[in-house]
Amino acid sequence: MEKVEVIRSIYDDQFKILNSILNLHMVETTFEVDLTFGNGGFYKKGIPEPQHRFDIDDTLPNITKACNSNNTGLSEASVKSVIFDPPFLTYIKKQRTGNSNMVMSRRFSGYWTSDELAEHYKTSIKEAARILKHKGIMVIKCQDIVHNHKLFCTHAHILNWSSEYFRLKDLFIQRATHRMPAPNRKGKQKHARIFHCYWIVLQRWAK
Ligand SMILES: C[S@@+](CC[C@H](N)C(=O)[O-])C[C@H]1O[C@@H](n2cnc3c(N)ncnc32)[C@H](O)[C@@H]1O
């Protein structure tokens, strides 16, 4: 009998996760909509680019339309799959002025407060639910964060925010391989240092 590689829930490589999601949960070879296309990093190793490539940053060269991910203009129940890779909490204020060279402090690349993140994530999940057909797939890449000794558990919030429209279909963990653990700056360590992000696979489902 031919041996087929078992798909696991944890990988170091985002392309293994993307291909696993496509194999397990989708008939098509790519997503129909990318709400936060950026530089198209997901499509550098053979996965075809989506038909609808959206991003709020109108300077990006390869997007089909500049728009907020919570207002795509697509018709209701018109697409089969959506991927959403939004910025995460950075608490870096300089992004507002764009006067820093740090990737995380550029325009549109982080939220200063958890309320700001919540508003964008919630409204984008609602928009994805609006444009997806019944049983359509939404994939969200996200990361939890510890700041000022407090854990902001992004992935748990997403599960809450999406439960009105989606059911959880699968969950992958991507391990960070090349992040060096910075030493504790002062005092005793209070939280586990985060070395992973999540890929949440949701399925559109009316309650
Ligand atoms: C983590 S990056 C996405 C990276 C992308 N997946 C890639 O591999 O190149 C987040 C993207 O979200 C975009 N973004 C931030 N706020 C947005 C919003 N309100 N609506 C749409 N896109 C937004 C940013 O411009 C940025 O390109």
Side-chain angles (χ1 to χ4, degrees):
M1 202 171 73
E2 191 199 344
K3 280 195 180 161
V4 183
E5 197 190 332
V6 172
I7 292 175
R8 285 176 279 140
S9 58
I10 180 162
Y11 289 103
D12 299 343
D13 177 358
Q14 73 166 357
F15 296 103
K16 283 218 164 187
I17 295 180
L18 278 165
N19 280 307
S20 300
I21 293 171
L22 290 166
N23 281 335
L24 287 172
H25 302 297
M26 288 169 56
V27 177
E28 297 75 22
T29 54
T30 191
F31 301 92
E32 213 168 325
V33 180
D34 190 328
L35 290 175
T36 44
F37 183 79
N39 292 308
F42 294 159
Y43 316 100
K44 304 278 186 211
K45 290 201 180 169
I47 297 172
E49 290 192 347
Q51 182 188 347
H52 303 287
R53 303 181 296 280
F54 300 144
D55 200 288
I56 201 165
D57 183 350
D58 61 5
T59 65
L60 290 167
N62 208 13
I63 55 172
T64 47
K65 187 170 90 169
C67 64
N68 197 312
S69 52
N70 59 20
N71 185 16
T72 63
L74 293 176
S75 310
E76 204 176 311
S78 63
V79 301
K80 287 186 187 157
S81 56
V82 170
I83 188 163
F84 182 45
D85 174 20
F88 45 86
L89 269 178
T90 58
Y91 298 98
I92 295 172
K93 243 182 186 165
K94 276 191 182 160
Q95 65 185 330
R96 293 283 170 256
T97 52
N99 62 356
S100 164
N101 288 326
M102 285 171 64
V103 172
M104 285 305 151
S105 62
R106 285 195 200 127
R107 226 160 51 113
F108 311 125
S109 39
Y111 307 95
W112 173 237
T113 66
S114 51
D115 284 350
E116 200 185 329
L117 176 148
E119 171 64 17
H120 180 220
Y121 280 34
K122 278 188 207 170
T123 54
S124 298
I125 289 168
K126 193 172 178 193
E127 173 68 352
R130 188 188 69 77
I131 64 176
L132 274 168
K133 296 180 177 173
H134 180 57
K135 293 194 179 180
I137 294 292
M138 176 177 203
V139 174
I140 306 180
K141 184 180 178 191
C142 69
Q143 188 166 315
D144 299 342
I145 187 162
V146 173
H147 181 73
N148 268 344
H149 304 304
K150 285 195 199 89
L151 173 65
F152 185 81
C153 201
T154 315
H155 81 280
H157 287 299
I158 289 175
L159 296 180
N160 277 334
W161 296 332
S162 59
S163 64
E164 193 181 336
Y165 324 99
F166 291 96
R167 65 177 187 178
L168 179 61
K169 193 126 202 288
D170 223 336
L171 185 62
F172 291 83
I173 291 171
Q174 183 185 338
R175 266 193 325 196
T177 47
H178 38 252
R179 202 177 305 154
M180 291 295 286
N184 284 324
R185 270 182 289 180
K186 50 185 172 189
K188 193 173 175 299
Q189 183 173 351
K190 297 207 172 106
H191 292 269
R193 199 65 64 82
I194 294 173
F195 272 82
H196 65 281
C197 66
Y198 292 93
W199 292 73
I200 301 173
V201 184
L202 301 168
Q203 186 168 46
R204 181 77 175 97
W205 209 264
K207 269 192 175 164

